[in-house]
């Protein structure tokens, strides 16, 4: 198949540490080196397999703690899989930390270059695109002010503008897609659509069903320990909602 | 538009790679270099931003140290080396670069916690950036040394050309220790404090304030085990005696550093995926 993301039997587990976990060398020496090692593991998910062809947007839905962010982090190469594999083709750009990586003391303009380089652009590409990024981010007169004076919305717009202009083959978006006002949101979606038309595959994670059904070509429901459903968004979301209704009474205090 | 769209690039014709691997290729080398140079220049700019005097502050600390030690050791204890300020300066600048780099390296990953989420970021760059900064400070603070050499009319000889090589060996040694320190201090919060204790001991165990030649031979073996001794002796030989440094000892230092660098780097990379989980 002509995919750019191929996930095979993916499993990720996190370490669970002994209750008094040694977080300093002193403690490690006093209570023993063993306290620095995890005692057991818990699996976030196992046996996750799917492929994403170019130009497709795959929505990942699931409750909090289902591993949506973990799956994106694994795809971005920030974490290492414990089972199976994620294989990629091409350049990855991720919106996992909107605006967090900006340096508060540097100006918007300086931060744009840093973020661009960290997103895999070369200096030459930055020079070509910097004007478009500035225009897209709508920073205006604050461009040469230090980022610590920015509002959180401005930081998010800046982060978004950079990621979206790095011409990724694979774009990872974690919930945050819907930052800023309505106008900025629709502009982002428009830009993502045009990227998809030129072949970018998008992985979007959200716990809001409406976002998935509006924009995605396929949906993946990530539930306890793995994939619950994968297919057309309306079908997957119907199952997801039905499950939520079953779960809801159990969770309510009455 | 000069850059082509992904569809034209044909991502589907490219080879598969594992998501967590950033395989080295000559294709990406210019990009990695650009990113590295940019990160270093960012640090330099931040130095200016934090205070108007910027670089000047990097000179104030060694000057104060020089004054204090010269007054106490040069006058009161009358150490038998002439000119003592030059002798002291050689050791002190070398030491400062070493200890400051390591102190900053211990914080380098923790300080970069916000950048860890960027897919293009390669954590191994942070210790490298920090050590490069330390070496840049070293070169800048050499202006003090140059002033002292001029003041005491110490003539320079051909061996001066060996200085860059000595700097490179020192950078190699520092980097070899910076990698494991950076990785350890993510998991263990007191790494920095233990490091500063260790550095305080090492400061007095390295012939920075004094010369070793008056010591009985038993001690020489001990000093020979300290790689900094050979570096300090090297700088002094070049600048004060117009002699070539002890290449035999220095190649030993370089070899050991290279070996340590390989292990240090591998240790760092083996803990790389813990950084996001452990950084707070």
């Amino acid at each position: 198949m002509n995919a750019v993301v191929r996930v095979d039997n993916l499993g990720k587990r996190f370490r669970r540490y002994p209750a008094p976990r040694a977080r300093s060398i002193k403690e490690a020496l006093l209570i023993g080196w063993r306290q620095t090692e995890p005692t057991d593991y818990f699996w976030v998910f196992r046996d996750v397999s799917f492929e994403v062809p170019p130009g497709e947007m795959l929505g990942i839905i699931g409750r909090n703690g289902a591993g949506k962010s973990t799956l994106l982090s694994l795809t971005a190469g920030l974490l290492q899989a414990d089972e199976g594999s994620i294989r990629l083709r091409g350049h990855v750009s991720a919106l996992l930390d909107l605006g967090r990586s900006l340096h508060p003391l540097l100006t918007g303009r300086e931060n744009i270059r840093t973020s661009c380089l960290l997103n895999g652009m070369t200096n030459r590409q930055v020079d070509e695109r910097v004007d478009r990024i500035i225009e897209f981010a709508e920073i205006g007169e604050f461009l040469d002010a230090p980022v610590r004076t920015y509002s959180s919305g401005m930081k998010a717009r800046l982060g978004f503008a950079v990621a979206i202009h790095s011409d990724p083959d694979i774009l990872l978006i974690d919930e945050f897609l819907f930052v800023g006002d309505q106008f900025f949101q629709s502009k982002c979606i428009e830009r993502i659509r045009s990227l998809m038309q030129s072949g970018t595959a998008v992985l979007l994670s959200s716990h809001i069903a409406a976002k998935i059904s509006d924009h995605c070509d396929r949906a993946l429901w990530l539930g306890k320990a793995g994939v619950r459903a994968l297919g057309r968004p309306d079908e997957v979301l119907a199952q997801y909602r039905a499950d939520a209704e079953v779960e809801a009474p159990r969770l309510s205090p009455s | 538009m000069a850059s082509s769209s992904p569809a034209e690039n044909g991502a589907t014709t490219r080879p598969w790679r594992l998501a967590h691997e950033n395989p080295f290729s000559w294709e990406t080398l210019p990009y990695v270099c650009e990113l590295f140079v940019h990160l270093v220049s960012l640090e330099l700019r931040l130095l200016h931003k934090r205070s108007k005097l910027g670089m000047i502050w990097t000179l104030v600390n060694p000057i104060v140290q020089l004054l204090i030690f010269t007054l106490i050791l040069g006058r009161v204890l009358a150490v038998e080396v002439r000119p003592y300020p030059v002798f002291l300066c050689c050791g002190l600048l070398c030491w400062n670069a070493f200890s400051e780099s390591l102190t900053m390296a211990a914080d380098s990953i923790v300080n970069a916690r916000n950048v860890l989420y960027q897919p293009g970021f390669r954590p191994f760059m942070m210790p490298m950036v920090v050590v490069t900064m330390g070496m840049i400070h070293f070169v800048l603070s050499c202006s003090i040394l140059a002033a002292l050499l001029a003041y005491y009319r110490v003539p320079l000889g051909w061996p001066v050309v060996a200085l860059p090589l000595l700097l490179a060996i020192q950078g190699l040694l520092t980097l070899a220790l910076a990698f494991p320190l950076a990785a350890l201090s993510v998991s263990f919060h007191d790494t920095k404090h233990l490091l500063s204790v260790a550095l305080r001991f090492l400061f007095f165990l390295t012939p920075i304030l004094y010369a070793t030649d008056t010591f009985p031979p038993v001690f020489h073996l001990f000093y020979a085990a300290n790689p900094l001794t050979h570096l300090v002796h090297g700088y002094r030989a070049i600048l004060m005696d117009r002699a070539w440094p002890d290449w035999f000892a220095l190649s030993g230092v370089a070899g050991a550093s290279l070996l340590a660098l390989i292990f240090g780097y591998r240790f760092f990379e083996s803990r790389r995926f813990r950084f996001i989980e452990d950084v707070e």
Side-chain angles (χ1 to χ4, degrees):
Chain A
M1 191 180 151
N2 225 6
V4 286
V5 180
R6 198 168 77 197
V7 178
D8 290 313
N9 300 318
L10 183 72
K12 175 69 191 168
R13 62 183 186 186
F14 280 116
R15 288 179 270 270
R16 237 196 291 257
Y17 288 94
R21 181 189 172 190
R23 286 308 306 263
S24 65
I25 296 176
K26 182 191 76 189
E27 281 167 12
L29 292 176
L30 287 177
I31 56 181
W33 195 257
R34 208 171 291 160
Q35 300 289 327
T36 68
E37 291 305 316
T39 41
D40 72 308
Y41 301 89
F42 66 97
W43 290 93
V44 187
F45 46 69
R46 292 181 92 161
D47 286 328
V48 173
S49 301
F50 62 89
E51 289 192 342
V52 189
E56 186 189 80
M57 190 189 283
L58 176 72
I60 300 158
I61 196 154
R63 307 181 71 113
N64 282 331
K68 302 187 294 291
S69 300
T70 306
L71 181 58
L72 290 189
S73 295
L74 283 162
T75 315
L78 305 176
L79 298 172
Q80 197 175 7
D82 295 299
E83 258 183 16
S85 65
I86 302 186
R87 282 168 205 282
L88 307 171
R89 285 205 273 221
H91 168 59
V92 183
S93 192
L95 283 162
L96 304 178
D97 70 318
L98 233 38
R100 231 178 90 185
S101 61
L102 302 175
H103 197 294
L105 291 179
L106 297 170
T107 67
R109 198 187 290 275
E110 288 169 320
N111 266 301
I112 287 177
R113 183 165 296 270
T114 309
S115 301
C116 284
L117 286 166
L118 286 172
N119 257 295
M121 291 186 227
T122 59
N123 270 321
R124 214 161 105 206
Q125 286 170 318
V126 181
D127 293 336
E128 283 165 14
R129 298 173 198 181
V130 71
D131 292 329
R132 276 186 288 148
I133 292 170
I134 290 166
E135 198 194 311
F136 193 92
E138 299 169 28
I139 302 297
E141 66 213 80
F142 280 89
L143 186 62
D144 289 306
V147 162
R148 70 184 153 81
T149 63
Y150 283 27
S151 71
S152 53
M154 287 164 80
K155 285 187 221 169
R157 288 208 300 274
L158 200 63
F160 201 97
V162 168
I164 227 157
H165 283 88
S166 67
D167 282 355
D169 299 303
I170 300 150
L171 180 63
L172 312 171
I173 308 172
D174 192 353
E175 307 259 5
F176 294 104
L177 170 58
F178 307 96
V179 294
D181 47 38
Q182 284 293 321
F183 178 72
F184 189 74
Q185 283 185 24
S186 52
K187 199 164 82 168
C188 290
I189 290 159
E190 205 179 295
R191 172 73 191 166
I192 291 172
R193 289 246 166 266
S194 83
L195 279 176
M196 283 163 65
Q197 260 155 32
S198 60
T200 303
V202 184
L203 269 72
L204 166 75
S205 91
S206 180
H207 57 256
I208 306 163
K211 309 283 186 201
I212 303 280
S213 61
D214 286 355
H215 306 294
C216 298
D217 305 305
R218 274 195 308 159
L220 174 88
W221 173 17
L222 210 54
K224 279 193 192 83
V227 179
R228 298 285 295 271
L230 171 66
R232 282 178 46 196
D234 47 342
E235 287 168 9
V236 173
L237 288 172
Q239 290 181 47
Y240 176 69
R241 288 205 184 92
D243 181 73
E245 273 160 26
V246 175
E247 293 262 315
R250 214 160 19 103
L251 293 171
S252 65
S254 61
Chain B
M1 204 169 90
S3 60
S4 51
S5 66
E8 289 160 30
N9 284 348
T12 48
T13 60
R14 285 189 226 166
W16 290 101
R17 68 177 170 91
L18 284 169
H20 66 274
E21 276 176 1
N22 255 325
F24 174 81
S25 69
W26 293 109
E27 213 179 297
T28 58
L29 188 65
Y31 162 69
V32 174
C33 290
E34 272 184 15
L35 181 57
F36 178 73
V37 169
H38 180 76
L39 289 174
V40 172
S41 80
L42 216 57
E43 290 289 321
L44 285 171
R45 245 177 297 165
L46 279 170
L47 210 64
H48 274 289
K49 287 231 158 118
R50 291 212 176 92
S51 73
K52 283 267 180 289
L53 288 172
M55 299 279 181
I56 304 293
W57 282 118
T58 62
L59 300 185
V60 171
N61 187 28
I63 289 175
V64 171
Q65 282 177 302
L66 269 174
L67 281 175
I68 293 171
F69 286 128
T70 309
L71 279 175
I72 294 175
L73 297 168
R75 289 284 158 83
V76 182
L77 295 176
V79 176
E80 291 290 315
V81 192
R82 294 282 169 262
Y84 184 64
V86 177
F87 174 86
L88 178 63
C89 196
C90 289
L92 213 50
L93 294 186
C94 163
W95 170 260
N96 281 354
F98 177 76
S99 74
E100 276 166 23
S101 299
L102 289 190
T103 310
M104 288 193 291
D107 271 335
S108 60
I109 295 299
V110 183
N111 285 343
R113 62 169 91 74
N114 291 335
V115 204
L116 286 176
Y117 293 89
Q118 297 276 4
F121 181 63
R122 289 146 167 88
F124 75 82
M125 279 194 176
M126 283 331 283
M128 286 175 66
V129 166
V130 158
V131 172
T132 309
M133 284 297 291
M135 297 316 281
I136 289 174
H137 285 180
F138 188 13
V139 172
L140 288 175
S141 56
C142 276
S143 55
I144 303 171
L145 188 58
L148 283 176
L149 287 172
Y151 178 79
Y152 288 99
R153 293 169 202 283
V154 181
L156 293 178
W158 271 111
V160 173
V161 295
L163 277 178
L165 197 61
L166 246 71
L167 278 171
I169 295 174
Q170 187 176 339
L172 205 66
L173 170 69
T174 316
L175 194 61
L177 299 171
F179 274 124
L181 275 171
L184 272 180
S185 70
V186 176
S187 303
F188 300 107
H189 295 164
D190 60 346
T191 308
K192 214 170 77 174
H193 306 298
L194 288 173
L195 173 70
S196 82
V197 174
L199 284 176
R200 206 158 290 272
F201 273 111
L202 195 60
F203 176 75
F204 290 103
L205 293 177
T206 306
I208 297 162
L209 304 175
Y210 52 84
T212 49
D213 17 320
T214 50
F215 287 16
V218 198
F219 289 98
H220 285 226
L221 204 67
F222 167 76
Y223 280 104
N226 178 357
L228 284 171
T229 306
H230 304 297
L231 285 167
V232 171
H233 282 168
Y235 290 119
R236 282 178 184 153
I238 290 172
L239 291 169
M240 298 181 71
D241 307 334
R242 271 156 292 158
W244 294 100
D246 181 356
W247 288 124
F248 178 71
L250 282 175
S251 54
V253 173
S257 301
L258 202 63
L259 207 65
L261 181 63
I262 293 167
F263 282 108
Y265 174 76
R266 286 173 68 167
F267 174 73
F268 182 88
E269 284 293 307
S270 74
R271 294 186 81 93
R272 178 159 75 96
F273 293 103
R274 288 187 179 201
F275 294 166
I276 284 186
E277 285 178 55
D278 280 356
V279 144
E280 276 153 24

